[in-house]
Amino acid sequence: MAETRTSTMRRREKRIAIDQLRSPSFDVVELYKNHQAVSKALSLDFDAIICLAKALPLGLRGREHREMRKELATVLAEGKRQLQPRLPELVKKHFKLLTKAGHHDLLADVCRPFVNECMELLSGLALKPEQFDNLSDIFDPGAGVAKRRRLEVTTQNLLKSASETAGDRRLYGIAVAVMGRDALLASLVFSLHRHFSQLQGREIGSSFFSRVPQDTAIPYVWRVGVDKGNEGDVFECCLNELIGSNDDERMKLFGAGQHTCLGKSHTLQIFETLSEFLSDQKGIVVSVKAASIDMHVLKIPEYFEIELR
């Protein structure tokens, strides 16, 4: 397993089972309301953050959720049409390092540039990767003032840059990238790390790499009670309990019910294409190591390295 360094992750004592994510008794935490409350209480301008948070379906309820999910699904459908025919080429381009013996930084030199290029096609935005730095802080309800100010500047710059690229649909493309980039990168890194860790002393292609992620960037999700008996209570659903289970069970890593991950389809497609590539690789795994940091509701990779011969 990858070493994990705990940061600002906040856990909840009250729990719900994964299948309860479908229940109308629970709904999501409304992200934008937290940012609005802090903005009002401190008389600070977080307009860009609030604008972006209102475009993230995973933090919306009811009609707002349905309408925004439909908009983002449209962006992703077009993005997937752009990505699908290029996936074999992108996998071969970025993962060719696995055909060479030696010590390799798979996070910096392989996985991150690969995911960045995939997300560019999926979101329809040609933006620099560094423009997305610290955007995952938008999911942190306990973020301090300094962190929110940095996030506001990042979000303002991102909205401005995107407006020059994608016109009126810029916000939806940014939302796709914000929800998908870090999650896809981390799920890919942690799944590959688990796979390669089982192959030490063996060829890469000697074991099947599953098309279903073996690990997740989102170890848990929060839900708020909306019934009379639990209204306002915050519950935790531990998705990481699925790690190590079979493919059918791990499909639940994408969630359940109305908030099922919008990126499920293209993630499975990416993993399947990568699986086909890895099955032909003859390099022998000498060692592999990785580390991550827990950031509120996301688990982020810090490094991922492999040695091949």
Side-chain angles (χ1 to χ4, degrees):
M1 292 179 61
E3 173 191 351
T4 301
R5 180 161 63 87
T6 301
S7 178
T8 56
M9 180 174 282
R10 298 167 180 85
R11 307 306 300 268
R12 301 287 173 165
E13 292 182 1
K14 295 184 178 182
R15 303 289 177 87
I16 58 173
I18 291 169
D19 290 338
Q20 287 179 279
L21 293 176
R22 301 179 184 275
S23 171
S25 297
F26 307 96
D27 214 325
V28 296
V29 176
E30 294 176 291
L31 292 172
Y32 74 91
K33 288 188 176 180
N34 170 268
H35 294 293
Q36 281 181 331
V38 174
S39 176
K40 182 178 180 179
L42 301 179
S43 299
L44 294 173
D45 178 6
F46 294 140
D47 288 354
I49 296 175
I50 294 167
C51 176
L52 179 55
K54 286 184 175 181
L56 304 177
L58 51 73
L60 299 174
R61 300 180 186 177
R63 181 174 58 82
E64 289 179 325
H65 167 259
R66 292 191 296 272
E67 291 178 354
M68 191 55 66
R69 187 177 175 92
K70 182 179 178 180
E71 295 288 356
L72 266 60
T74 300
V75 173
L76 277 170
E78 175 57 30
K80 189 177 176 182
R81 283 193 288 271
Q82 298 298 320
L83 176 65
Q84 187 170 0
R86 293 193 54 189
L87 252 183
E89 164 203 338
L90 291 178
V91 167
K92 185 176 181 180
K93 169 186 171 182
H94 290 287
F95 285 86
K96 64 182 179 182
L97 205 60
L98 294 177
T99 65
K100 302 177 182 179
H103 183 274
H104 306 301
D105 183 340
L106 295 186
L107 177 58
D109 298 333
V110 177
C111 294
R112 184 174 286 132
F114 170 70
V115 169
N116 287 340
E117 195 160 356
C118 287
M119 290 310 304
E120 181 177 316
L121 291 169
L122 286 167
S123 68
L125 298 177
L127 299 171
K128 298 177 181 178
E130 57 268 23
Q131 290 179 287
F132 288 92
D133 286 349
N134 82 313
L135 277 177
S136 62
D137 289 332
I138 199 168
F139 302 114
D140 184 3
V145 172
K147 182 179 285 188
R148 290 178 197 263
R149 281 175 166 160
R150 289 193 297 270
L151 177 60
E152 177 69 16
V153 171
T154 299
T155 308
Q156 286 176 352
N157 292 336
L158 189 59
L159 289 170
K160 180 180 179 181
S161 297
S163 67
E164 299 166 356
T165 309
D168 293 338
R169 297 186 68 80
R170 65 189 185 280
L171 185 61
Y172 305 145
I174 293 171
V176 165
V178 170
M179 291 196 301
R181 178 176 174 262
D182 286 343
L184 176 58
L185 174 61
S187 295
L188 179 63
V189 166
F190 301 142
S191 295
L192 283 170
H193 177 257
R194 284 184 175 273
H195 180 69
F196 290 149
S197 294
Q198 299 170 359
L199 294 178
Q200 295 189 59
R202 297 163 55 192
E203 290 186 357
I204 291 175
S206 65
S207 181
F208 176 72
F209 179 66
S210 176
R211 67 186 289 267
V212 182
Q214 298 179 44
D215 207 328
T216 178
I218 306 171
Y220 64 90
V221 294
W222 290 336
R223 289 294 184 265
V224 178
V226 293
D227 283 347
K228 285 185 178 180
N230 64 12
E231 189 173 3
D233 291 344
V234 180
F235 297 80
E236 180 178 288
C237 179
C238 296
L239 299 179
N240 55 7
E241 293 178 352
L242 296 167
I243 296 171
S245 60
N246 60 40
D247 283 6
D248 288 341
E249 281 296 298
R250 292 200 320 280
M251 287 290 278
K252 296 178 182 178
L253 288 171
F254 293 103
Q258 62 179 339
H259 289 280
T260 298
C261 177
L262 278 165
K264 177 179 178 179
S265 176
H266 66 255
T267 298
L268 293 174
Q269 187 178 46
I270 287 170
F271 272 64
E272 184 171 5
T273 305
L274 179 56
S275 178
E276 293 173 0
F277 174 83
L278 293 177
S279 66
D280 294 329
Q281 302 312 308
K282 305 299 183 183
I284 295 176
V285 178
V286 176
S287 64
V288 59
K289 59 181 180 179
S292 64
I293 181 171
D294 286 336
M295 298 289 291
H296 15 284
V297 296
L298 284 173
K299 188 172 63 171
I300 305 294
E302 284 195 298
Y303 64 81
F304 178 30
E305 300 171 357
I306 194 170
E307 184 178 355
L308 300 173
R309 63 177 171 85

